Amino acid sequence: MNSTPKRQFALQGAAVILVLSIAWPYYGWKAEAMPWLETSLAIGGVALFFATVSRQPWWWRVIHGGFMPLVWYTYGLAIDPIWFLLAAIFLLLVFRGALSGQVPLYLSNKQTVAALADLLAERGPSRFLDLGAGLGSTTVPLADALPDSHFTGYENAPLTWLVGRFFSLGRPNIRWRWDDLWQARLGEYDVVYAFLSPAPMPRLWEKVKAEMAPGSLFISNSFPPPGVTPDRIVDVDCNPPRPLYCYQL
């Protein structure tokens, strides 16, 4: 199964081409106007079929099935195009990670922060790196709870970085960076934390092995590197479950 954005564009494009290559000649031969509602529903059905056959995750199947019918419905609302431009800019500012690296915006909850604080307390003063730090929902409360440790957050979405930068103000043990997580030098930290998605985990694990120093700790929230047995799993008391997979280097 390949669920990359390019694959999804290809599946949706194939459905559009297939349906239109049949519908346009058919209605042109009959000299009738194209029934766009029915055509959009047909494209959605074909796209759903393609996504199911190629074993895409269930949410991609829903997106494929509903995308073109929603396009037709939205077109009928006659919304000023400027609103679509503003929405696209907003999505880029907040969800850049999802567009560029299949990493959505996840916010760590209070229970997860408490579990991380316990893990850090066991190690003593540490240098902690949060890859994809979002709004600072992990880094800021940890910095308050553990003033003897130093915390760094990497975030590449401009608006979320700005919000996190605001919340980190006045905390000398936080360094807040607007940068790509792949540019981080993992060897400079004692503990590296990631709450990303399954997509980047194989590549990230290779980076962890190559850069992190012996004795350091890698923690992945919810998404373990495939095929790697964690040294410890911390079950966080929250719903939905958010286990912490811990790997001692």
Side-chain angles (χ1 to χ4, degrees), residues 63-224:
I63 292 172
H64 280 296
F67 180 75
M68 198 54 67
L70 284 174
V71 169
W72 174 86
Y73 174 76
T74 305
Y75 176 78
L77 297 178
I79 299 173
D80 192 318
I82 190 64
W83 291 109
F84 293 102
L85 176 61
L86 293 175
I89 293 173
F90 175 78
L91 290 173
L92 179 62
L93 292 175
V94 177
F95 299 105
R96 179 184 173 189
L99 297 174
S100 61
Q102 301 184 71
V103 179
L105 175 62
Y106 288 122
L107 302 179
S108 297
N109 54 39
K110 294 180 179 179
Q111 296 92 331
T112 298
V113 172
L116 288 170
D118 290 340
L119 289 171
L120 290 175
E122 294 175 3
R123 299 179 63 88
S126 302
R127 296 165 298 168
F128 179 94
L129 172 63
D130 186 355
L131 295 173
L135 304 176
S137 59
T138 299
T139 307
V140 171
L142 283 178
D144 289 338
L146 301 165
D148 292 333
S149 292
H150 190 274
F151 299 86
T152 299
Y154 270 62
E155 175 58 41
N156 74 341
L159 188 56
T160 51
W161 172 87
L162 185 61
V163 173
R165 181 72 181 94
F166 173 78
F167 285 128
S168 65
L169 290 175
R171 294 172 171 83
N173 60 335
I174 290 182
R175 182 177 61 155
W176 198 253
R177 295 197 54 170
W178 179 15
D179 208 341
D180 190 318
L181 64 88
W182 302 110
Q183 303 304 314
R185 298 179 179 178
L186 305 187
E188 298 177 358
Y189 303 94
D190 306 306
V191 180
V192 175
Y193 170 72
F195 189 11
L196 303 176
S197 77
M201 293 313 297
R203 180 184 174 190
L204 180 57
W205 179 245
E206 294 302 316
K207 182 176 176 65
V208 165
K209 291 191 299 180
E211 298 182 16
M212 292 187 69
S216 56
L217 179 66
F218 173 64
I219 304 172
S220 180
N221 187 333
S222 303
F223 309 112

